[in-house]
Amino acid sequence: MPDHIVKAYDKELESLGRKIAEMGGIAEKMLSDAMDALIDFDTRLAQATVDSDPRLDLLQRDIEEQAILTIARRQPMAVDLREIIATIRISGDLERIGDLAKNIAKRAIKLAGEMHIPRATIGLRSMHESAAMLLKEVLDAYAERDAEGARAVWIHDADLDALEDSVFPRPPHVHDGGSAQYLLLHASSVRFEKHRENRRSRDQHRRDSGLSRYRRNLADGPAQRPDHSI
């Protein structure tokens, strides 16, 4: 992140970054706890996961409001504007990941007495481990402004797609309530994967845009910075 003439502007951008990191940590924990609750038939952990969702929703609203105020106050241009817009969109993706983790936790509560479908649980555990790893890697790439790390997540997304196909090769037959719940869990896992992929795409676009601007600046020489003072 480039330094700006007005230090308060840098602090505003850093604050947005910290809140994204906090959201990422909560989303990671919610996903992990939801899957642990499902696999261990732990209704208390499942309910705790559901109860964590309001905090994620509040952070998402705070980020959106702060970002809009920063745009109005500082009138950012080029890479700064893309950075702030990406922050708004990434916060939305993380909030939806939290919603999907909450949905998994709710299904875990409903399935607490359905302990006769171990194969689906094992498959979902494998999908979770792969998805959780990719989520962690993309959060790290965002924090470190690591374009290559974000690109690697993009490439390995195909592995998760293949794993999904092996776990759910065809729509499961809905014979009873337990099977129906696992069908809904599958739908949640697919939507989680799409939101994680959206985040990776936004990280990559923002970093590539910043790199392009940096190269242009090297070619054109020093440029005049906009006045963000208030």
Side-chain angles (χ1 to χ4, degrees), residues 88-104:
I88 294 174
R89 292 178 175 174
I90 289 169
S91 71
D93 284 333
L94 290 172
E95 188 273 333
R96 284 188 288 275
I97 287 172
D99 284 343
L100 295 174
K102 177 181 68 176
N103 291 345
I104 292 172

Side-chain angles (χ1 to χ4, degrees), residues 182-221:
Y182 275 98
L183 178 58
L184 291 168
L185 282 168
H186 174 225
S188 292
S189 70
V190 172
R191 288 195 296 271
F192 164 77
E193 179 186 347
K194 296 305 178 186
H195 289 309
R196 177 190 49 72
E197 184 177 352
N198 287 344
R199 169 166 185 152
R200 186 269 315 146
S201 297
R202 285 162 184 157
D203 286 351
Q204 184 65 52
H205 174 72
R206 178 177 51 75
R207 293 188 188 91
D208 286 347
S209 298
L211 183 59
S212 297
R213 192 187 76 154
Y214 175 72
R215 287 170 174 166
R216 286 198 302 272
N217 286 347
L218 286 180
D220 298 341

Side-chain angles (χ1 to χ4, degrees), residues 45-214:
L45 183 58
Q47 187 58 53
T49 302
V50 173
D51 293 342
S52 298
D53 188 58
R55 174 58 180 163
L56 204 61
D57 294 342
L58 179 61
L59 277 169
Q60 192 270 332
R61 288 193 296 270
D62 285 348
I63 288 172
E64 185 172 301
E65 291 173 3
Q66 183 180 339
I68 291 171
L69 285 174
T70 299
I71 291 172
R73 185 183 297 121
R74 307 301 178 187
Q75 299 182 9
M77 299 174 63
V79 70
D80 287 340
L81 180 59
R82 283 190 290 271
E83 174 102 16
I84 295 172
I85 295 299
T87 298
I88 294 174
R89 292 178 175 174
I90 289 169
S91 71
D93 284 333
L94 290 172
E95 188 273 333
R96 284 188 288 275
I97 287 172
D99 284 343
L100 295 174
K102 177 181 68 176
N103 291 345
I104 292 172
K106 288 181 177 179
R107 300 301 166 196
I109 293 172
K110 290 182 181 294
L111 284 164
E114 299 286 344
M115 307 178 76
H116 61 280
I117 318 178
R119 183 176 178 182
T121 301
I122 293 170
L124 287 169
R125 186 206 299 262
S126 299
M127 286 188 67
H128 162 250
E129 289 172 353
S130 179
M133 179 186 69
L134 292 176
L135 178 59
K136 179 183 184 303
E137 288 175 357
V138 80
L139 287 168
D140 290 344
Y142 173 81
E144 297 168 8
R145 303 301 190 262
D146 180 2
E148 290 304 316
R151 188 174 290 109
V153 173
W154 190 345
I155 293 171
H156 287 115
D157 177 64
D159 297 337
L160 187 56
D161 291 340
L163 181 57
E164 179 201 349
D165 291 339
S166 69
V167 173
F168 295 98
R170 62 183 66 85
H173 298 291
V174 183
H175 295 306
D176 54 34
S179 296
Q181 297 302 331
Y182 275 98
L183 178 58
L184 291 168
L185 282 168
H186 174 225
S188 292
S189 70
V190 172
R191 288 195 296 271
F192 164 77
E193 179 186 347
K194 296 305 178 186
H195 289 309
R196 177 190 49 72
E197 184 177 352
N198 287 344
R199 169 166 185 152
R200 186 269 315 146
S201 297
R202 285 162 184 157
D203 286 351
Q204 184 65 52
H205 174 72
R206 178 177 51 75
R207 293 188 188 91
D208 286 347
S209 298
L211 183 59
S212 297
R213 192 187 76 154
Y214 175 72

